[in-house]
Amino acid sequence: RSLLKVIVLGDCGVGKTSLVNQYVFKKFREQYKATIGADFATKELEIGERVVTLQIWDTAGQERFHSLGVAFYRGADCCILVYDVNVPKSFETLQHWHEEFIKQADLTEPEKFPFVLIGNKVDLEYGSTEIVSEKQAKEWCSCRGNIQNFMTSAKEDYNVDASFLCAAQLALANEDDH
Ligand code: GDP
C-alpha cells in the first residue's frame, strides 16, 4: 500500500481545482472559486496489483505561493503543471513553476523527476485569441526531459482520468526507485 503525493501547479484560473474536483468527486462548478490556502484531496486507485492512495495537493496562483512554503513541496512524488490552452501567458509562466518546483523540492536530478503537463479547457475556443498548440506543448516537454503531455477539459471530463492515472503511475515508479 502506497501513499503518493502529487502536487498541482500553474497560474490562478487555469483550472487546477476543477481538474482535481472532476477527478476525485466527478463534479464541475462553473463559478469561479479561488482556492483557499493549500489543501489536498485523496483518491484510492488500483495500478496493476497495487492499491495506491493519491494525495493531490492543489494551490491557488502565484500570489499565495510564498505562504505555502516547503511543506507543500516536501515529499512530492509527481508534479502536474497546468496551463489554459486559451491563455498563452499561462503557458509561458510554466517555466517559472517548473523551476520553482525543482528548487523548492530540492531535486538533485530534475530530468528524472516525473512531471505531467496538462493543457486544460480544450472545450473553449476564444475566437481571435491565439491559442497554445499541442505542438508547442510537446516541444516544451521534450527539451526538459521525459515529461508526459495531456490536453484536457475539466468541464467535459475529457482526459482527466488519463492524466491523473499517468501521474499516479509515474509517481509509483518514482517511489519504487528509492
Ligand atoms: P485554479 O485557480 O487553477 O484552481 O482554477 P479553477 O479550477 O478555480 O477554475 C477557474 C475557472 O475556470 C472556473 O470558473 C472554472 O469553472 C473554469 N474552468 C476550469 N476548467 C475548465 C474547463 O476545462 N473548461 C471550461 N470551459 N472552464 C473551466
Side-chain angles (χ1 to χ4, degrees), residues 8 10-21 28-35 58-61 82 84 86 120-124 126 152-157 160:
V8 186
D11 279 359
C12 213
V14 295
K16 300 181 297 298
T17 304
S18 301
L19 286 162
V20 176
N21 283 341
F28 177 79
R29 291 159 59 103
E30 281 289 347
Q31 76 265 44
Y32 185 80
K33 175 196 70 70
T35 316
D58 170 29
T59 169
V82 186
D84 178 338
N86 308 284
N120 187 41
K121 306 199 193 182
V122 294
D123 60 285
L124 277 181
Y126 288 156
T152 65
S153 167
K155 183 177 182 178
E156 295 182 350
D157 197 11
V160 177

Side-chain angles (χ1 to χ4, degrees), residues 9-11 62 65 79 81-83 88-103 115 117 136 139-141 143-145 147:
L9 288 177
D11 279 359
Q62 207 160 359
F65 163 71
C79 175
L81 297 164
V82 186
Y83 65 100
K89 178 80 179 59
S90 71
F91 182 68
E92 288 156 27
T93 324
L94 288 178
Q95 178 63 21
H96 159 80
W97 292 113
H98 186 245
E99 283 169 11
E100 206 57 43
F101 178 81
I102 290 169
K103 192 171 109 198
F115 287 95
L117 179 68
Q136 278 174 277
E139 280 166 10
W140 198 92
C141 291
C143 57
R144 285 171 182 80
I147 302 179

Side-chain angles (χ1 to χ4, degrees), residues 117-135:
L117 179 68
I118 291 184
N120 187 41
K121 306 199 193 182
V122 294
D123 60 285
L124 277 181
E125 275 179 53
Y126 288 156
S128 60
T129 322
E130 195 189 319
I131 64 160
V132 182
S133 70
E134 192 167 7
K135 186 164 167 275

